[in-house]
Amino acid sequence: MITHSFDYTCPSSLEQACALKSEDSVYIAGGTDIVPALKYGLLFPKLVISLQNVPGLASITIEGGNLVIGAMVGLEKLARYTEHFPNLSGLNHAVRAVASPQIRHIGTVGGNLLQEARCIFYNQTTAWRRGIEPCHKTGGSVCHQAPAKPQCVALYHSDLAPAFLAADCLVQIYRDGNEQQLPLETLLAAPSRVLGGGVLTHIVLPDVENLRQLHFRKHAVRGAIDFPLANAALTVRACGTVRLIMGAMTPKPVTLEQTQSELADSLKEEMPLAAQIYQTAAAEAKKKARPIREATASPAVKQQAMVVVQEVIRDLL
Amino acid sequence: MDKSIIGANIPRLESREKVDGSGRYTDDFSPAGMLYGAVLRSPYPHARVKKIDAAQVLAMPGVMAVILPQDVAGIRYNSSGNPPSDLLVDDEHILTDHPLYEGDAIAAVAAQTPRLCKEALGRFAVEYEVLPAALSVEAALDPSTPPLHPDIAKSNDFQLLAFDQGDVETGLAACDIVLEGEFATPAVHPLPMEPTSCICEWRGNTINIYATSQTPFQERRILAGMFGLPESAVRIVKPLMGGGFGARQQLHYQPQGCLLSKKTGRPVKMLLTREEEMMATTTRHAAKMRVKLGAMLDGKISAMDIEVWHDTGAYCTHGPIVLSAQGKKVQYGVDHYRYRGHCVYTNNVTAGAMRGYGNPQVTFAREMLIDRLARKLGRDPLELRLQNHLARGDTIPGTQTLVSSVAIQTCVDEAERIRKEVDAKRAQPGEWGVAFCMHTSGPSNKSGMSSASIYLNRDGSVQLNLGTADIGQGSETAMAQVAAEVLGIKLECVNVHAADTASTPYDTGTFASSQMFVGGNAVVLAAKSMIKNLATALADVRGVSAAQVGFAGGVFSLPDGQCSFADAAEQVLYGGDNSRVVFGEGSYKAVEAPPVFAVCLVRTQRDMLTGVLTITDAIQTVDAGNVINKNIVRGQIEGGMAQGLGYGWMEQLETDRRTGKHITSDALLYKIPTAQDIPSLYSAAVDSYDEFGPLGAKSIGELTLVPVAAALAISAERSCGKEIFSLPLSKGLLLTRAAKEVAQ
């Protein structure tokens, strides 16, 4: 139940939306991340600004060889669209891996990318949190996951982000009357600073034709509903570039550079993959992971879930 | 038997109203003037309330009443819905200033809206002294840990249950092989879809309650005693229920609801949130188990030594009775048997009744060892178990319970047939895990009792009144089938009214897989009594002697011809001077608790690169006696398999040791399997008939969950070559996926 009172508005243009935005307001798209946060007393906005009536944010088009996905495109819509592109099968897997059919019917692509990092000590009700000291995210100065750490170590669980990052996606941001294009990586590094009250309008997947393969794997405790314990995405472009991204093991998805460069070398030489590459991948993943405890999964179990990196390599055609 | 009624695929009587939304659950009722109630809960697993001030709460417009620990200080009780027993300790308070687990009830508030209630809970000014908490059995048993209830027991290990047969030490010493292991299973929650709820109305000297209740008659007894009222002044009605699984075999927040109603003079609805459901209702006991198994080289298992420590949480509730039931569920004919069960207080969520009632824990440990024995001896795991299985006429080790029927060989044959079909379909190699189990029909201490009354209508239709509570398992449908069969009338001519303490006769309660066996027997007796009474009345009306009236297949025979059941009803009700109203009544007290048996097989396959296990298939065949309703039995088997897979694979209530906080506080954080996670399921109930059962039926409710986690863990152990000692698998370093997910 949401006990906190707020105003709700549905502006019909980006200009109006941005004009309404202040420190005391939040944007809402599908609401599958925001509404639970309101129910759990994690957000206290005075104004909730729905983007549902803003035109132009809910279509998927191909423009100049790029796939342009509106931030308000529903996850189910993206899943259906990507079914028709064999080279986007991994993106299709990633979308289908999100939550459940009900959530995919209301959740949006932009909302999935901009979801808050999650933690078992943070995503709890106000009454529950009365029993512990406030943490970095609730106005205190402790991290219950890692009391020795000076900052929050919560993890980012988007299933779409690794796939989009592996595909070198850009994001379009509307702010102060201008639309600007940035790498998705830049946005994810500091979403609120980068957005600065602006609106994420589109995700641009460049040069779709050049994308030969896109693979995605996820491991979660359950086959539906759950956020990933680990996920991974791998792309191969016609030009020979390989990108390998691991998610849900760090506050932002990480690139496994060494593995991706060894993979690129193997593919260039058209050699079958050596068994060694799986060990390289496992070692690099382990080195870069910063697992914390999640429900039903200790950090050690999360480490195990990084087999998704090996699985996604095995998926290479 | 009429095959269109008994053993048929009859849809449940209430299915339509559940699907179209017209069915009424507790929350669908709103008596005039109703308020909402909520409970202030301890945010700490162990604390003392130094000061509590409700002034700010009482100042809120719309807040109607508050109750505090001092208002209910003298009352101690045990909430368990078992019949009275010396084993049940009265250690619970309605509200407490010394909370013993996170979620313990400190104060309660009644207000005009649920939102006001939630806001009010935030405005209690409470000063706590946080105390050290014992969050595991080990911590609770540490000599430095003070007892949770010093007035009741000096040690947190407060009850010991023991069963013996033969001499286990000598027996083990004489064995060729002794296997042993220490096993652990987690606390789990049944997560019924409908949250725990009640509406309590205290008016004058009477109390009316609608509640999610498995044991309305026991709850009435406890409440009447608590408030000093005659039982006739307390009425409990159980509306439609969205699951129970044992968790509602007890009082929850009816005492608080009643007191809020008394104070305000208005009905009060208490509806738990999912978080409260997870933290402040009851769970299946977490168990630590030390098991020894002694066998001869020919495979004969001759000695079994089981010692169990159950984490019962902060309060006793069912604790000792769960252990008592657990010790009496061995279906192998061992000569030497020793069972020791320790009930241990901790500062964890209170454990209570949950499907299987102690049986799933020990079945897991025992079957793991039996499988290791099979591998050691190079024996087929099914055949080794069959060699040691109890036969008809045997008694269950450590008990006087008779095996009155057993169709285990047929269960194995049917499971093997299905397994061969599955193997033919699967391309990748896999490993099967096998587990057997038994359960009883009705409480193993034979305390089950039920009754029914039948009222006859003019057209031959009947009103069947039952004390039994259908909590979603379909017992009302099955009871109607039994009545229709015995009376020889159509199913649609039976209308069932059940689980209302003011208008239905006594029933021990819905637990211990009782309803079909105990309740069904009461219905048979009531129907036979109806036939007898109707025959007598018909004889009077027709001027013949009762001995001249016969009955078979729904037809009365008289010296001058035959008369249908409906004609007899019409003649008796409107038959002139001798007409009368006819009732049937039956009371059944269990004389036996016939064991039921299951064979479960689970198949996994392992990815050689990643080590990930895939659960591909699960088979379960059962001997549940004569099947009354195929749909219901299939639903119970498949539901049991799903819940059992969850138990073996992913479910566990988790507490963070550093903060003492209960992590798995909602249905996202607490994992029960989704449809995606369920592998291909195959089930069968084999032909069987028990002489003590109503129309030959035994029970099915709990049995089907019991062997599943064991079969899964055994399959995983065989696939990975690594011994498994604890559940769930997902907690260990075993990654597991269901076939459906892999197939995507």
Side-chain angles (χ1 to χ4, degrees):
Chain A
M1 191 196 312
I2 302 173
T3 49
H4 162 74
S5 297
F6 53 82
D7 288 324
Y8 176 79
T9 181
C10 298
S12 53
S13 70
L14 285 170
E15 293 83 348
Q16 283 176 19
C18 287
L20 290 162
K21 185 79 181 74
S22 71
E23 291 235 315
D24 292 330
S25 61
V26 292
Y27 291 123
I28 189 168
T32 59
D33 201 37
I34 295 274
V35 173
L38 291 168
K39 286 183 176 175
Y40 278 18
L42 295 167
L43 291 175
F44 302 94
K46 288 188 178 149
L47 177 66
V48 173
I49 307 162
S50 168
L51 299 173
Q52 67 182 5
N53 289 349
V54 175
L57 303 186
S59 56
I60 309 175
T61 53
I62 298 215
E63 292 169 23
N66 301 333
L67 180 69
V68 181
I69 305 162
M72 289 293 284
V73 165
L75 294 169
E76 184 59 28
K77 181 173 175 175
L78 181 62
R80 289 189 185 169
Y81 184 90
T82 48
E83 273 165 14
H84 305 296
F85 295 83
N87 62 337
L88 295 178
S89 64
L91 182 55
N92 182 263
H93 289 166
V95 187
R96 290 257 183 248
V98 176
S100 65
Q102 291 89 334
I103 290 171
R104 293 197 294 272
H105 272 88
I106 190 163
T108 63
V109 173
N112 185 276
L113 289 175
L114 292 173
Q115 65 182 271
E116 280 271 336
R118 305 183 66 84
C119 168
I120 51 175
F121 295 99
Y122 172 70
N123 296 92
Q124 300 280 4
T125 65
T126 313
W128 190 97
R129 283 180 281 109
R130 275 188 201 120
I132 51 172
E133 268 181 73
C135 71
H136 293 297
K137 285 184 79 170
T138 54
S141 56
V142 65
C143 174
H144 294 291
Q145 288 275 5
K149 291 272 169 67
Q151 79 282 342
C152 173
V153 298
L155 303 180
Y156 173 72
H157 292 87
S158 166
D159 282 316
L160 294 189
F164 281 145
L165 287 168
D168 299 308
C169 282
L170 304 167
V171 287
Q172 241 160 262
I173 291 162
Y174 175 91
R175 188 169 57 185
D176 304 332
N178 299 313
E179 204 138 7
Q180 187 191 6
Q181 234 175 41
L182 295 168
L184 171 59
E185 240 166 324
T186 310
L187 172 68
L188 295 183
S192 50
R193 188 174 54 74
V194 172
L195 286 168
V199 176
L200 168 66
T201 62
H202 297 89
I203 294 90
V204 180
L205 194 159
D207 203 356
V208 186
E209 285 290 307
N210 179 262
L211 192 65
R212 285 287 154 83
Q213 299 186 48
L214 168 51
H215 302 286
F216 174 85
R217 287 278 177 166
K218 166 176 178 172
H219 195 95
V221 177
R222 297 180 286 189
I225 306 281
D226 281 345
F227 288 97
L229 291 177
N231 59 19
L234 176 61
T235 55
V236 181
R237 287 203 172 255
C239 56
T241 317
V242 174
R243 293 266 277 147
L244 176 58
I245 311 288
M246 175 172 73
M249 298 300 297
T250 42
K252 299 295 158 206
V254 288
T255 305
L256 303 183
E257 280 114 357
Q258 189 191 342
T259 313
Q260 73 183 22
S261 102
E262 284 184 29
L263 276 170
D265 291 346
S266 306
L267 293 173
K268 208 178 296 165
E269 290 157 24
E270 294 183 357
M271 298 280 285
L273 291 183
Q276 178 61 34
I277 193 76
Y278 292 106
Q279 286 163 31
T280 307
E284 189 179 13
K286 191 174 175 193
K287 200 170 125 197
K288 294 199 166 156
R290 297 288 176 271
I292 60 171
R293 181 173 171 190
E294 303 202 70
T296 316
S298 63
V301 169
K302 273 186 71 84
Q303 295 263 13
Q304 291 276 313
M306 293 191 303
V307 295
V308 289
V309 174
Q310 290 165 294
E311 288 177 331
V312 85
I313 293 171
R314 187 169 57 180
D315 288 339
L316 277 175
L317 304 171
Chain B
M1 276 182 238
D2 183 344
K3 291 215 162 78
S4 71
I5 295 180
I6 300 300
N9 271 318
I10 289 175
R12 299 252 290 263
L13 302 174
E14 76 287 7
S15 290
R16 178 174 287 274
E17 60 174 6
K18 280 184 173 170
V19 172
D20 71 16
S22 63
R24 299 179 84 190
Y25 295 83
T26 299
D27 190 33
D28 294 316
F29 292 87
S30 294
M34 189 182 80
L35 301 172
Y36 294 84
V39 173
L40 176 71
R41 300 181 183 285
S42 171
Y44 304 105
H46 190 195
R48 203 168 276 284
V49 175
K50 290 165 70 182
K51 213 169 127 191
I52 179 164
D53 183 351
Q56 273 197 59
V57 177
L58 288 164
M60 289 170 69
V63 167
M64 308 303 284
V66 162
I67 46 173
L68 298 172
Q70 58 262 35
D71 302 329
V72 290
I75 302 173
R76 300 291 291 271
Y77 66 107
N78 183 306
S79 60
S80 147
N82 279 299
S85 163
D86 291 342
L87 291 173
L88 299 171
V89 178
D90 289 340
D91 56 9
E92 292 170 69
H93 303 266
I94 296 176
L95 300 167
T96 183
D97 57 7
H98 182 187
L100 295 174
Y101 72 97
E102 183 191 359
D104 213 347
I106 292 170
V109 59
Q112 281 172 345
T113 66
R115 182 175 160 168
L116 270 170
C117 282
K118 190 177 172 186
E119 286 175 2
L121 294 181
R123 297 207 193 168
F124 279 97
V126 191
E127 201 179 308
Y128 293 98
E129 177 192 357
V130 179
L131 300 169
L135 298 174
S136 65
V137 161
E138 290 83 351
L141 296 183
D142 189 294
S144 67
T145 304
L148 262 76
H149 298 278
D151 54 332
I152 285 164
K154 296 248 175 322
S155 163
N156 287 322
D157 185 356
F158 71 103
Q159 291 247 27
L160 178 70
L161 277 288
F163 300 105
D164 291 280
Q165 176 171 307
D167 177 347
V168 88
E169 299 290 351
T170 315
L172 283 169
C175 285
D176 296 325
I177 301 170
V178 175
L179 294 177
E180 58 182 293
E182 289 190 17
F183 296 88
T185 55
V188 294
H189 195 280
L191 216 82
M193 283 230 268
E194 182 194 14
T196 302
S197 45
C198 61
I199 302 168
C200 305
E201 182 171 14
W202 192 314
R203 190 191 295 180
N205 290 321
T206 62
I207 298 175
N208 276 299
I209 296 174
Y210 291 94
T212 48
S213 166
Q214 294 182 222
T215 43
F217 291 90
Q218 309 304 338
E219 292 158 36
R220 179 182 67 170
R221 171 179 53 78
I222 302 169
L223 288 171
M226 182 183 289
F227 298 130
L229 295 170
E231 288 194 14
S232 56
V234 181
R235 179 185 187 181
I236 299 181
V237 178
K238 175 216 68 74
L240 270 187
M241 239 172 106
F245 305 103
R248 285 97 193 247
Q249 187 197 339
Q250 64 171 85
L251 284 173
H252 285 283
Y253 297 98
Q254 295 92 331
Q256 293 86 344
C258 287
L259 291 174
L260 289 171
S261 173
K262 186 181 186 184
K263 206 159 181 181
T264 57
R266 292 164 66 170
V268 174
K269 180 185 278 181
M270 316 277 290
L271 182 67
L272 297 198
T273 64
R274 189 57 68 182
E275 180 182 287
E276 290 177 292
E277 192 70 25
M278 299 309 296
M279 306 192 346
T281 60
T282 53
T283 68
R284 177 182 295 141
H285 291 77
K288 306 273 175 209
M289 296 167 280
R290 213 175 272 159
V291 182
K292 274 189 199 171
L293 197 69
M296 309 309 289
L297 286 173
D298 68 358
K300 159 78 182 162
I301 300 170
S302 60
M304 205 177 277
D305 188 9
I306 298 172
E307 188 160 20
V308 179
W309 289 263
H310 266 184
D311 177 346
T312 203
Y315 299 101
C316 172
T317 71
H318 291 257
I321 296 190
V322 173
L323 290 167
S324 167
Q326 178 181 68
K328 296 185 272 192
K329 300 287 190 315
V330 177
Q331 77 275 34
Y332 302 109
V334 294
D335 306 317
H336 308 283
Y337 176 61
R338 176 166 67 187
Y339 170 86
R340 295 290 179 270
H342 303 260
C343 201
V344 182
Y345 283 130
T346 69
N347 294 110
N348 284 324
V349 178
T350 308
M354 185 176 159
R355 198 178 193 179
Y357 214 63
N359 196 353
Q361 294 94 318
V362 166
T363 293
F364 161 65
R366 182 193 67 225
E367 295 296 303
M368 295 304 290
L369 283 186
I370 293 180
D371 199 71
R372 288 175 202 167
L373 177 66
R375 276 175 276 156
K376 209 168 172 95
L377 293 173
R379 294 280 299 274
D380 177 87
L382 285 164
E383 188 243 339
L384 177 72
R385 286 173 170 89
L386 274 178
Q387 179 193 341
N388 286 285
H389 207 276
L390 294 172
R392 186 163 180 269
D394 290 345
T395 51
I396 293 162
T399 77
Q400 301 299 314
T401 302
L402 176 75
V403 178
S404 45
S405 60
V406 51
I408 193 69
Q409 182 69 54
T410 330
C411 286
V412 167
D413 293 345
E414 183 61 11
E416 279 283 66
R417 188 190 64 73
I418 299 169
R419 168 157 80 170
K420 283 184 185 134
E421 277 181 22
V422 174
D423 279 336
K425 283 194 296 197
R426 296 284 171 209
Q428 306 285 326
E431 288 286 347
W432 287 95
V434 171
F436 280 26
C437 77
M438 64 149 280
H439 208 77
T440 46
S441 308
S444 48
N445 63 6
K446 297 169 198 164
S447 64
M449 193 157 76
S450 187
S451 58
S453 65
I454 302 178
Y455 305 160
L456 179 67
N457 302 319
R458 178 200 56 85
D459 58 0
S461 65
V462 298
Q463 175 67 36
L464 174 62
N465 302 309
L466 305 162
T468 69
D470 192 331
I471 59 170
Q473 83 277 40
S475 61
E476 288 185 12
T477 307
M479 298 301 145
Q481 288 175 261
V482 170
E485 166 67 21
V486 178
L487 296 172
I489 59 178
K490 289 182 177 160
L491 184 61
E492 53 269 32
C493 290
V494 181
N495 185 56
V496 179
H497 173 61
D500 173 346
T501 61
S503 57
T504 64
Y506 178 87
D507 176 86
T508 321
T510 293
F511 62 92
S513 305
S514 301
Q515 301 316 291
M516 188 68 255
F517 180 75
V518 183
N521 268 317
V523 172
V524 169
L525 292 174
K528 285 182 173 168
S529 132
M530 160 61 73
I531 292 164
K532 187 170 165 236
N533 295 345
L534 182 53
T536 306
L538 187 60
D540 286 354
V541 167
R542 299 279 286 266
V544 298
S545 80
Q548 289 175 295
V549 182
F551 180 82
V555 177
F556 287 96
S557 55
L558 294 130
D560 60 349
Q562 292 191 324
C563 168
S564 72
F565 191 87
D567 283 347
E570 169 106 33
Q571 288 178 35
V572 165
L573 272 147
Y574 299 107
D577 291 347
N578 287 325
S579 61
R580 75 185 69 159
V581 176
V582 181
F583 305 92
E585 59 183 32
S587 165
Y588 178 76
K589 165 76 175 69
V591 289
E592 284 299 335
V596 283
F597 302 94
V599 172
C600 182
L601 280 75
V602 174
R603 184 181 182 279
T604 60
Q605 60 191 45
R606 188 162 189 249
D607 183 316
M608 296 316 285
L609 171 69
T610 60
V612 174
L613 274 187
T614 304
I615 304 170
T616 62
D617 305 272
I619 302 168
Q620 190 168 178
T621 56
V622 299
D623 164 12
N626 187 35
V627 169
I628 302 295
N629 187 317
K630 271 191 188 162
N631 269 339
I632 293 177
V633 167
R634 187 176 163 207
Q636 287 281 11
I637 303 177
E638 295 191 352
M641 285 208 271
Q643 206 168 30
L645 287 168
Y647 185 48
W649 177 1
M650 58 180 69
E651 293 187 37
Q652 56 177 333
L653 284 156
E654 287 183 282
T655 305
D656 178 60
R657 289 290 155 89
R658 195 181 66 78
T659 56
K661 293 297 286 185
H662 184 105
I663 299 299
T664 37
S665 59
D666 64 23
L668 178 63
L669 296 167
Y670 183 81
K671 316 288 182 188
I672 61 164
T674 68
Q676 284 291 309
D677 299 306
I678 303 302
S680 302
L681 300 181
Y682 312 85
S683 67
V686 305
D687 281 342
S688 169
Y689 190 94
D690 192 278
E691 60 187 294
F692 295 99
L695 310 176
K698 297 194 277 186
S699 76
I700 188 72
E702 294 167 277
L703 173 77
T704 59
L705 171 135
V706 176
V708 184
L712 170 62
I714 289 165
S715 170
E717 181 165 297
R718 284 177 171 250
S719 281
C720 302
K722 195 174 79 175
E723 289 191 335
I724 291 168
F725 290 93
S726 65
L727 299 178
L729 299 183
S730 64
K731 188 175 82 174
L733 301 181
L734 256 185
L735 287 185
T736 314
R737 281 181 179 146
K740 279 179 202 150
E741 194 189 349
V742 176
Q744 284 189 339

